[in-house]
Amino acid sequence: MTQNLQPLLQRAETNGIHLEIQDAVAIVRLSRPAKRNAMSDSLVEGLRDVFQNLPDQAKAAVIYGQGDHFCAGLDLSELKERDAGAGMHHSRSWHVALDAIQFGSVPVVAALHGAVVGGGLELASACHIRVADDSTFYALPEGTRGIFVGGGGSVRIPKLIGVARMTDMMLTGRVYNATDGERIGLAQYHVPTGTALEKAMELAKRIATNAPLTNYALMHALPRIAEQPADHGYLTEALISSIAQAAPEAKSRVKAFLEGKAAKVQKN
Ligand code: 1HE
């Protein structure tokens, strides 16, 4: 059944996000370039709405920022209005929105350029793959602004780069460039300036052709298994792999390979 996308597209525009679907890929653009895509409450709400309501035709997603930067983090102009209780609920609203990305219906590839700072890095770290062009720089200016990460960064970022590097970034305001960002694990791909979106689309289109259960297992089981004690992890792995291999799609793909009809793994 074809879903009527118009209400979702319109709500997204109102919240500062442009959404389109192309070749089974949902393309999500942060669209507040005048504010360097700083994440206002309404942008955070828009991300939650988009990722909780992606249409069935989307099998992968790409997220990128309009203008010269991916995202300048929290919209600091809204921070001054909050007391402690409101601040806690605000942080929790980011957790819901970024969980909708990490644990949503499809793998998400972030195309990074320019500033990926503060909440922008928290957003990028909720995505499954990060492609950074050469203009990218990463920072956590929360330390120098007298605040702390609140969008899940203290959980996700140490998993990418380790506690020591995140501590350094926040204590000293250290900024990583694209080359060093890839070296330490902030991005999996480093591409020439201006080509991150193209590379992210290439990857997303490929991801969209995977068996849906494989993508589901990678998004929902792998991060949980990685946090389980080894003996629990082995059991969860056995359960997930048996479910995946029992799917008709797995059987037809393996059969195609055995009959010489599927692509071999190629050396680069
Ligand atoms: C903003 C924001 C913002 C820009 N909130 N308005 N994040 C930060 O501490 C990063 C703050 N931003 C910057 O360091 C720079 O803006 C950038 C390096 C990202 C870009 O520099 P540039 O020279 O291209 O732009 P600009 O001239 O600094 O900013 C253009 C406009 O965007 C300007 O507004 P205007 O009305 O004067 O035109 C800026 O005020 C506005 N702008 N960034 C609000 N972040 C869940 S907790 C997460 C905690 C955090 O993310 S804290 C880190 C916040």
Side-chain angles (χ1 to χ4, degrees):
M1 194 179 73
T2 312
Q3 292 161 288
N4 178 11
L5 271 179
Q6 280 313 314
L8 179 63
L9 300 187
Q10 273 161 15
R11 291 199 304 275
E13 289 298 336
T14 308
N15 285 322
I17 293 168
H18 179 77
L19 169 66
E20 62 181 278
I21 313 288
Q22 198 188 96
D23 297 330
V25 177
I27 306 172
V28 179
R29 186 181 74 211
L30 309 177
S31 296
R32 298 186 77 211
K35 294 293 175 190
R36 307 312 186 245
N37 300 318
M39 289 170 70
S40 59
D41 287 356
S42 100
L43 188 61
V44 174
E45 163 58 17
L47 285 172
R48 182 205 60 73
D49 187 30
V50 163
F51 282 95
Q52 285 184 347
N53 293 292
L54 281 178
D56 295 344
Q57 71 208 79
K59 305 297 180 203
V62 164
I63 184 165
Y64 75 105
Q66 186 177 352
D68 292 338
H69 301 281
F70 174 69
C71 176
L74 173 71
D75 187 326
L76 292 166
S77 68
E78 293 181 350
L79 185 65
K80 58 184 189 304
E81 312 297 343
R82 278 183 208 116
D83 63 21
M88 185 191 70
H89 288 300
H90 176 257
S91 171
R92 299 297 287 158
S93 76
W94 276 60
H95 296 161
V96 172
L98 300 197
D99 265 8
I101 295 175
Q102 184 178 0
F103 299 112
S105 55
V106 299
V108 183
V109 184
L112 306 178
H113 75 297
V116 181
V117 302
L121 180 51
E122 296 186 272
L123 168 61
S125 67
C127 299
H128 303 92
I129 296 180
R130 284 156 295 282
V131 177
D133 87 7
D134 203 45
S135 71
T136 306
F137 58 98
Y138 309 89
L140 290 170
E142 287 88 340
T144 53
R145 309 254 182 263
I147 53 179
F148 193 65
V149 285
S154 58
V155 172
R156 293 192 180 96
I157 297 170
K159 289 184 179 143
L160 299 179
I161 62 173
V163 171
R165 285 199 180 98
M166 180 170 172
T167 305
D168 177 28
M169 288 177 82
M170 292 197 69
L171 283 178
T172 68
R174 182 170 182 168
V175 179
Y176 280 97
N177 64 22
T179 304
D180 289 336
E182 189 202 11
R183 175 177 58 80
I184 67 172
L186 284 169
Q188 294 100 317
Y189 295 84
H190 176 196
V191 296
T193 299
T195 65
L197 181 59
E198 186 189 331
K199 180 69 181 176
M201 284 298 294
E202 175 197 321
L203 296 171
K205 284 180 193 170
R206 179 169 180 167
I207 290 166
T209 66
N210 289 342
L213 261 179
T214 302
N215 283 348
Y216 182 87
L218 286 166
M219 293 171 64
H220 292 267
L222 180 60
R224 268 93 181 206
I225 292 171
E227 288 184 6
Q228 288 178 337
D231 58 340
H232 295 204
Y234 293 140
L235 181 64
T236 312
E237 179 187 271
L239 294 172
I240 295 294
S241 67
S242 63
I243 291 168
Q245 79 180 20
E249 180 129 22
K251 295 198 187 310
S252 61
R253 285 172 185 239
V254 171
K255 183 165 172 279
F257 173 77
L258 293 174
E259 291 171 354
K261 294 177 188 156
K264 289 185 193 182
V265 177
Q266 301 278 357
K267 188 170 178 241
N268 283 329

